[in-house]
Amino acid sequence: MKDPLIDLLAEVSASFQTRLSHLPMTQEIALAPFQLRLLALIARFPGSSQQKLGTMLARDKGQIARAIKELEAHGLIRREASTSDWRSQVLLLTPQGEEIARQAARRRADLGAYALQDLSPETRDVTTDALRRILARLQEG
């Protein structure tokens, strides 16, 4: 049986990403929406491995590797040897990458505030709690 809530969650997420990708700043820096999401994830989790980022974004190794190469070519990220495993590398933002990530985070926050402006604080709290429970259930082993 089809649940309209699941479809609506997917539509909200897709619409948010579409609106985000059409913001002027996004187009000015000439990065694809996926590259911006990857940059934002590296900003939130500095020192992550390529494999961890791929898992978080549910993308295959090839897609992640190409996006990382492009971000490196733009001078936005750098690789560094992992301190816990000499065989692997971690990803960090360059100063330019940090600035773009900050700008993108501000634009994302502004768009989020716009999208949620009609919800009361109580509705936002209840919705946030419900979504956290849904996410926890989906992430169960």
Side-chain angles (χ1 to χ4, degrees):
M1 182 166 153
K2 186 175 176 181
D3 189 329
L5 178 59
I6 298 301
D7 291 338
L8 190 56
L9 287 171
E11 286 180 51
V12 167
S13 179
S15 292
F16 189 84
Q17 292 303 326
T18 299
R19 288 287 298 265
L20 198 56
S21 71
H22 288 93
L23 291 176
M25 188 224 56
T26 306
Q27 295 178 358
E28 287 170 14
I29 60 174
L31 291 178
F34 174 65
Q35 292 170 320
L36 270 177
R37 280 196 306 262
L38 184 56
L39 196 68
L41 212 51
I42 295 168
R44 282 182 50 206
F45 302 101
S48 292
S49 68
Q50 185 172 321
Q51 181 180 359
K52 180 179 179 182
L53 294 168
T55 300
M56 286 191 272
L57 290 167
R59 298 290 179 108
D60 66 50
K61 289 181 194 179
Q63 290 173 310
I64 296 293
R66 281 188 298 279
I68 287 171
K69 275 187 171 183
E70 291 165 359
L71 291 173
E72 276 184 304
H74 284 291
L76 303 177
I77 64 170
R78 63 185 170 82
R79 296 175 199 248
E80 197 172 276
S82 171
T83 56
S84 62
D85 181 0
W86 62 270
R87 297 168 296 173
S88 65
Q89 295 180 325
V90 296
L91 300 167
L92 301 162
L93 297 179
T94 63
Q96 182 183 5
E98 288 174 4
E99 179 56 31
I100 289 175
R102 269 193 297 279
Q103 290 175 21
R106 279 194 300 273
R107 299 305 195 288
R108 186 179 191 283
D110 291 346
L111 181 58
Y114 171 77
L116 299 172
Q117 70 184 349
D118 295 333
L119 300 181
S120 70
E122 296 79 20
T123 300
R124 288 175 72 161
D125 289 345
V126 168
T127 304
T128 300
D129 180 59
L131 291 173
R132 281 191 178 123
R133 285 187 277 135
I134 292 167
L135 181 60
R137 174 70 65 166
L138 291 172
Q139 291 178 338
E140 284 179 354

